Amino acid sequence: MGDAALANTSVVILYRDSLGKAVVKNVVLLAMGLSINYINASLMYTFCKHQIFYYNPRYILFFTLVVNDMIQMSVGIALFVISYALYKITALSCAPFILMAIITTENTPLILACMAGECYVAVRLPLHHVRICTVRRTLLLIALIFTISITSAFPDLFVTLATKRPDFFSSQIFCLRETAFPSPMLTQKRDITYILYLVIVWSVIFFTYFKILFTAQTASKDAKKARRTIVLHGVQVLLCMTIYAAPLVKDALLRVFPKNYSDSLFAVYIVVQIVPRSISPIIYGVRDKCFRKYLKHYLICRTAPHGDLS
């Protein structure tokens, strides 16, 4: 895997995009990223302006997911633009970007698994939902998620500090995880971490879905909505967790399309990083009746002339 990472970087350097293609890719990515971030910012504003959401664990988890996605999207787009505008930056400048990208990327499936769990409790144990899913426990759970991701990401930095000479951090590199933290040991750690995430998160998704699927007919209306929500979570998790298979996909693309490798990387980036972040607004910004009501009010207030609101 270490040799493959070096080969990937070499091909990116060898087959740089033409100016026209580079401009098109950056414009497309910026347009998609800014659009999604604008929608997510509207969702965040709606959450912050209405205290009704402050006491509901479901919306607290959703708010955390949106903030996490906005950070991840912003960091990813910044790195993409930097790769074309500056091409190489110092390893010291690259490391914080990569650490933030790792943490936020690993957070997403964990938050989605927690949201699926909350949905399961709401449908299967409605009488105990208030007792089990408290705001305090939700905040502790969010803190645990970030602790797990930070604990997973920072060893990359510590190992690099211990194994690389000080002048490495002042050297110019193409900013990727493999170049910022190049130890083969870290590649193995990453693969093991991704496998664990894959097993844990998908176990939660399947368990909650099938438990809700067989919920008694007396709660069929709520169960149907919950099942659809879990399915959407599953699709979102599936897309997010394609990042875990991304190294293998990139190696395969390198072998099959070596001269179009940069185009392949761009397509993989859109599918793995951008598309999953566009699903959250659909689940809670459009499908959720309560949130939709307040979001609609916010949008009407933003678009209506001031005289109409008097």
Side-chain angles (χ1 to χ4, degrees):
M1 292 294 290
D3 293 338
L6 291 175
N8 289 351
T9 306
S10 299
V11 173
V12 171
I13 293 172
L14 184 61
Y15 296 103
R16 296 186 66 178
D17 289 331
S18 63
L19 178 61
K21 186 182 288 189
V23 170
V24 169
K25 286 182 179 180
N26 279 273
V27 169
V28 168
L29 186 63
L30 281 170
M32 294 179 69
L34 292 175
S35 298
I36 295 171
N37 270 354
Y38 174 77
I39 295 171
N40 283 337
S42 300
L43 297 173
M44 289 173 57
Y45 181 84
T46 302
F47 176 93
C48 293
K49 292 294 286 184
H50 301 93
Q51 292 189 5
I52 188 175
F53 300 124
Y54 295 2
Y55 307 104
N56 190 318
R58 181 175 304 172
Y59 296 115
I60 294 173
L61 286 169
F62 170 62
F63 179 78
T64 305
L65 178 65
V66 170
V67 172
N68 184 80
D69 282 355
M70 286 191 70
I71 295 172
Q72 197 280 336
M73 182 90 68
S74 301
V75 170
I77 291 174
L79 283 174
F80 191 89
V81 173
I82 286 171
S83 71
Y84 282 92
L86 302 177
Y87 194 53
K88 291 185 177 183
I89 59 176
T90 63
L92 184 63
S93 302
C94 175
F97 283 108
I98 298 300
L99 285 174
M100 283 192 289
I102 295 171
I103 291 168
T104 51
T105 298
E106 293 185 0
N107 278 343
T108 301
L110 296 179
I111 297 172
L112 288 170
C114 293
M115 294 175 78
E118 186 279 332
C119 191
Y120 162 79
V121 174
V123 174
R124 293 281 296 185
L125 304 167
L127 299 179
H128 302 283
H129 181 266
V130 176
R131 178 174 57 83
I132 295 173
C133 299
T134 64
V135 172
R136 182 174 179 275
R137 287 179 177 176
T138 303
L139 295 176
L140 288 174
L141 189 61
I142 292 168
L144 178 62
I145 289 170
F146 276 85
T147 300
I148 291 171
S149 299
I150 291 171
T151 303
S152 172
F154 269 83
D156 290 25
L157 177 62
F158 298 148
V159 170
T160 304
L161 286 170
T163 57
K164 290 293 181 180
R165 295 173 56 182
D167 59 354
F168 167 76
F169 292 95
S170 60
S171 64
Q172 298 284 318
I173 62 171
F174 189 80
C175 192
L176 298 170
R177 183 174 184 175
E178 295 86 350
T179 53
F181 308 125
S183 171
M185 179 197 315
L186 297 176
T187 302
Q188 295 176 354
K189 187 212 70 150
R190 179 199 64 193
D191 294 341
I192 293 170
T193 301
Y194 285 177
I195 290 170
L196 285 174
Y197 276 32
L198 186 69
V199 171
I200 292 170
V201 174
W202 273 110
S203 296
V204 171
I205 292 292
F206 278 114
F207 174 80
T208 54
Y209 177 77
F210 285 108
K211 282 290 186 179
I212 293 172
L213 183 65
F214 296 113
T215 298
Q217 290 300 313
T218 53
S220 59
K221 185 177 179 181
D222 291 337
K224 278 184 179 179
K225 183 178 178 181
R227 285 200 298 269
R228 287 194 293 268
T229 300
I230 294 295
V231 168
L232 287 171
H233 281 324
V235 172
Q236 193 173 10
V237 169
L238 179 63
L239 289 170
C240 288
M241 296 181 76
T242 51
I243 188 67
Y244 300 166
L248 296 175
V249 173
K250 290 176 182 178
D251 291 344
L253 291 171
L254 173 59
R255 289 192 294 270
V256 178
F257 306 109
K259 293 187 177 180
N260 300 105
Y261 186 59
S262 63
D263 297 334
S264 302
L265 287 180
F266 180 71
V268 170
Y269 183 82
I270 294 293
V271 172
V272 171
Q273 299 288 6
I274 303 298
V275 175
R277 273 81 201 172
S278 66
I279 297 178
S280 295
I282 295 173
I283 297 178
Y284 283 95
V286 178
R287 292 185 69 250
D288 188 90
K289 185 177 179 180
C290 179
F291 207 97
R292 184 171 66 243
K293 180 179 72 173
Y294 289 101
L295 179 63
K296 189 184 296 184
H297 176 73
Y298 161 72
L299 293 175
I300 291 172
C301 290
R302 286 293 302 270
T303 56
H306 292 290
D308 294 346
L309 298 177
S310 58

